[in-house]
Amino acid sequence: MRLITVSGPPSSGKTSIIEKTIQVLKKQAIEIAVIKFDCLSTADEIIYEKKGIKTKLGLSGSLCPDHYFVNNIDACFQWGLKEHIEVLITESAGLCNRCSPHIKAVLSVCVIDNLSGCQTPKKIGPMLKFADIVVITKGDIVSQAEREVFAYNVKKVNPQATIIHINGITGQGAAELAKLFLKANDYNSLDEKKLRFTMPAALCSYCLGETMIGKDYHIGNVKNMQL
C-alpha cells in the first residue's frame, strides 16, 4: 500500500487538493482512503464521504495533533491494509509549525497558499522543509509576480522539493500530483520507519525525541483512535 502524508497550515486548501487528486485517481479504479487528523472539530470527513471516499477521522482533543498523528499512524496503516486500500492519504494541519508528520521514505506533501504572505514559507518549519512535494494554491487570485516570489521563497526553504501549482476549485494541476502519488513507495508495514524530524517537548515518548513508530514505543500521554 502506498502511504502519502499531506500537511499544511489551516485553510491552505489541503482537503480540496486531496479531493481533486482523488478524482483523477478514481478514473483508474484505484482504491483510495483518507485519514483526517484534526484538533477539536472538522467537517472535512463529510466532504470526502459525499464524494464516495472511504474516510476515518481522528480528533486529538487536548493533545498535540502531530503527536496524536504519530501515535496512531501505524494502526491507521494496518486498517488500510485490512480494507485493501491501494493509496492511503493522511491529512493533518501541523498547527504549531514546529512538528512534521512526514516519515522517511514515505511520500510527503506540504500544501501552502499564495495568500499566506511571501515570508510564510520561512515560518512553516519542518512540515515544508522536509516535504518531497510542495503544493502551492490560490495562485488565481494573486499576480504573476507574487506567484513567482512566493515559489522562489519556497524553493529557498526546500530546494529539493517538487513544486506544483494547483487550483483547488477547478482541479487544474491535480493530474500532475496524482502521477506522483502513484510513484510513491509501496509498503506492507511501517516497521522500522522513522519520522523525518523530532517532535517538540511535551509529555509522551515522542516529546523526548523518540522517532520509532509502533505501540512498543508509546510511553506517557498517548491517545488511541477508535478504528
Side-chain angles (χ1 to χ4, degrees):
M1 183 175 68
R2 298 175 179 87
L3 174 65
I4 293 135
T5 59
V6 178
S7 64
S11 303
S12 58
K14 298 182 293 297
T15 302
S16 295
I17 296 307
I18 292 171
E19 182 208 330
K20 292 294 186 298
T21 304
I22 288 177
Q23 284 182 14
V24 176
L25 292 171
K26 277 202 159 189
K27 293 177 182 175
Q28 302 178 47
I30 295 170
E31 194 67 29
I32 306 165
V34 174
I35 307 286
K36 169 70 180 183
F37 291 92
D38 218 311
C39 295
L40 301 178
S41 68
T42 179
D44 290 346
E45 81 280 13
I46 298 172
I47 296 173
Y48 288 128
E49 288 167 357
K50 282 184 177 177
K51 298 290 182 180
I53 300 166
K54 195 172 289 185
T55 308
K56 286 289 183 182
L57 170 65
L59 297 176
S60 62
S62 59
L63 298 181
C64 164
D66 293 292
H67 287 231
Y68 181 66
F69 168 90
V70 74
N71 281 324
N72 286 282
I73 187 59
D74 190 41
C76 291
F77 189 87
Q78 294 302 320
W79 171 81
L81 290 176
K82 287 179 184 176
E83 295 291 322
H84 305 290
I85 301 300
E86 295 173 86
V87 177
L88 180 64
I89 302 169
T90 68
E91 179 189 344
S92 59
L95 295 174
C96 72
N97 285 343
R98 165 60 178 78
C99 292
S100 165
H102 304 321
I103 300 167
K104 291 182 178 178
V106 170
L107 187 67
S108 60
V109 181
C110 178
V111 180
I112 185 171
D113 73 274
N114 276 295
L115 294 181
S116 61
C118 64
Q119 300 302 321
T120 296
K122 292 189 292 187
K123 304 175 184 176
I124 300 298
M127 189 165 55
L128 190 155
K129 185 176 181 180
F130 294 99
D132 299 309
I133 301 167
V134 177
V135 172
I136 303 177
T137 61
K138 303 178 186 177
D140 55 323
I141 43 184
V142 297
S143 68
Q144 177 66 26
E146 288 172 307
R147 285 195 296 274
E148 290 180 4
V149 170
F150 194 84
Y152 174 76
N153 286 339
V154 168
K155 207 66 179 174
K156 283 201 300 184
V157 174
N158 186 346
Q160 288 78 38
T162 298
I163 296 177
I164 302 176
H165 297 267
I166 298 182
N167 186 318
I169 297 175
T170 65
Q172 184 178 13
E176 185 180 356
L177 185 61
K179 288 179 182 176
L180 294 175
F181 277 14
L182 294 179
K183 292 180 180 178
N185 293 325
D186 207 336
Y187 292 109
N188 293 319
S189 81
L190 293 181
D191 290 349
E192 304 302 319
K193 287 285 180 295
K194 291 185 175 182
L195 294 171
R196 301 188 184 194
F197 195 77
T198 58
M199 297 286 182
L203 295 173
C204 77
S205 51
Y206 297 102
C207 307
L208 301 175
E210 180 61 76
T211 58
M212 296 298 293
I213 291 173
K215 62 180 180 181
D216 291 340
Y217 302 95
H218 302 171
I219 300 172
N221 189 17
V222 298
K223 182 179 179 181
N224 298 314
M225 288 175 61
Q226 297 297 320
L227 296 173

